[in-house]
Amino acid sequence: MESISEIISIVVSIDSCLSVMTYLLGTLQDSFEKRVGLFVFLIAAVGVCVALVIVFRIFQQKEYFEMQSIMEKKYNEEQREYFIRLLEKEEETRGFRHDMINHLLCMQNAIANRNYEEVHNYLSDMLSELDVISCKQYDMGDEIVNV
């Protein structure tokens, strides 16, 4: 909205200048003065048109860069959220590795003590827990990565 009001004020200023020049051309008596005045008026009009094109282009670029900035901020925020989820999954994996090492140490201890039935029961319990974990779906925030 700010850019529209700026453009309107520029157009009004240019219109005022062209109106004054038109009035001044009308007051000239000599045909040579009128021709020179008309030439100056045409040069000024062309200059105004070029200036308007430049101003409009600048405003278009400003809007484009503002949109780019908004998109980059959104992309950066999504990327930050993705990495936070990734760190959370890494923490879950670290916990799982810790638990697996503890389980293996318990089984090693039971085997060293020749408690084979205990190892068998322990493995059965672990396998049933793994079945529950393997059914769990992970959402990484990206359909391609989730697959």
Side-chain angles (χ1 to χ4, degrees):
M1 199 62 156
E2 176 181 313
S3 62
I4 293 174
S5 63
E6 291 173 357
I7 291 173
I8 290 173
S9 66
I10 291 170
V11 169
V12 168
S13 299
I14 292 170
D15 183 48
S16 300
C17 290
L18 292 177
S19 297
V20 168
M21 289 181 76
T22 305
Y23 171 75
L24 291 175
L25 279 175
T27 61
L28 295 176
Q29 300 297 325
D30 188 359
S31 67
F32 176 74
E33 287 178 352
K34 280 189 176 186
R35 283 185 288 190
V36 170
L38 184 59
F39 179 74
V40 170
F41 180 75
L42 288 175
I43 296 295
V46 168
V48 166
C49 290
V50 169
L52 281 175
V53 167
I54 291 171
V55 167
F56 286 133
R57 182 70 178 136
I58 288 171
F59 283 123
Q60 284 177 339
Q61 286 180 340
K62 178 182 172 188
E63 290 177 5
Y64 172 77
F65 287 124
E66 286 174 353
M67 184 63 73
Q68 285 292 106
S69 175
I70 290 168
M71 290 173 61
E72 285 178 13
K73 286 178 184 176
K74 182 179 177 183
Y75 175 75
N76 288 339
E77 180 62 26
E78 288 175 355
Q79 203 171 32
R80 187 184 68 78
E81 290 173 5
Y82 170 76
F83 283 116
I84 287 172
R85 285 192 304 271
L86 200 60
L87 289 172
E88 289 170 355
K89 297 303 177 191
E90 177 63 27
E91 193 63 34
E92 285 179 20
T93 302
R94 187 176 299 141
F96 179 75
R97 280 192 305 254
H98 177 266
D99 291 346
M100 288 306 296
I101 290 170
N102 285 337
H103 290 305
L104 291 172
L105 288 173
C106 287
M107 287 188 297
Q108 184 182 31
N109 186 36
I111 290 172
N113 293 332
R114 298 180 191 254
N115 293 332
Y116 301 115
E117 185 65 29
E118 182 182 335
V119 172
H120 177 72
N121 292 337
Y122 195 74
L123 278 173
S124 296
D125 290 343
M126 280 182 48
L127 289 173
S128 65
E129 287 181 29
L130 283 176
D131 285 340
V132 171
I133 291 172
S134 65
C135 293
K136 185 176 179 181
Q137 299 261 336
Y138 291 100
D139 182 18
M140 295 303 291
D142 187 345
E143 292 181 23
I144 295 171
V145 174
N146 288 343
V147 172

